Amino acid sequence: MTEEKRNRIIGAFTVTVILLIAILTAILIYQLVVIVSINKQKKYIEGEIYRYTELTKESKDKLEYLESEEHLWEELIANDYHKR
């Protein structure tokens, strides 16, 4: 094998390795961006779940109050209902 042929092989191998490293680096960066994006979405969704859970609890409490006799009497008094 001549020295020129050996230099070409070494050059081609070097270029291939550099391209492979560049492609793998790009893939790694893309994956990191996707992971960060998914983590942001996860935090947002967890916040929404918490918010809707609290809204549900508040709505249940309000419904229980609206169905109570205490609320009925308050509404009757507010609308000037008097026992006859």
Side-chain angles (χ1 to χ4, degrees), residues 26-84:
I27 291 171
L28 179 66
I29 291 170
Y30 174 76
Q31 290 297 316
L32 290 174
V33 168
V34 168
I35 289 170
V36 168
S37 173
I38 288 173
N39 283 338
K40 285 181 183 178
Q41 288 177 349
K42 179 183 173 186
K43 287 180 184 177
Y44 173 76
I45 290 171
E46 286 173 347
E48 289 295 303
I49 289 171
Y50 177 77
R51 187 171 72 90
Y52 282 113
T53 302
E54 291 300 314
L55 284 173
T56 302
K57 287 178 185 176
E58 290 173 11
S59 296
K60 285 180 182 178
D61 292 342
K62 187 172 182 177
L63 178 62
E64 287 176 7
Y65 171 72
L66 291 174
E67 291 176 338
S68 70
E69 283 188 33
E70 179 185 346
H71 174 70
L72 179 62
W73 281 111
E74 288 176 4
E75 286 295 315
L76 291 173
I77 292 169
N79 291 315
D80 294 328
Y81 175 81
H82 301 286
K83 290 184 179 179
R84 294 180 189 168

Side-chain angles (χ1 to χ4, degrees), residues 7-30:
N7 287 342
R8 282 186 180 178
I9 292 173
I10 291 173
F13 179 74
T14 303
V15 169
T16 304
V17 168
I18 291 173
L19 286 175
L20 181 63
I21 290 172
I23 290 170
L24 291 176
T25 303
I27 291 171
L28 179 66
I29 291 170
Y30 174 76

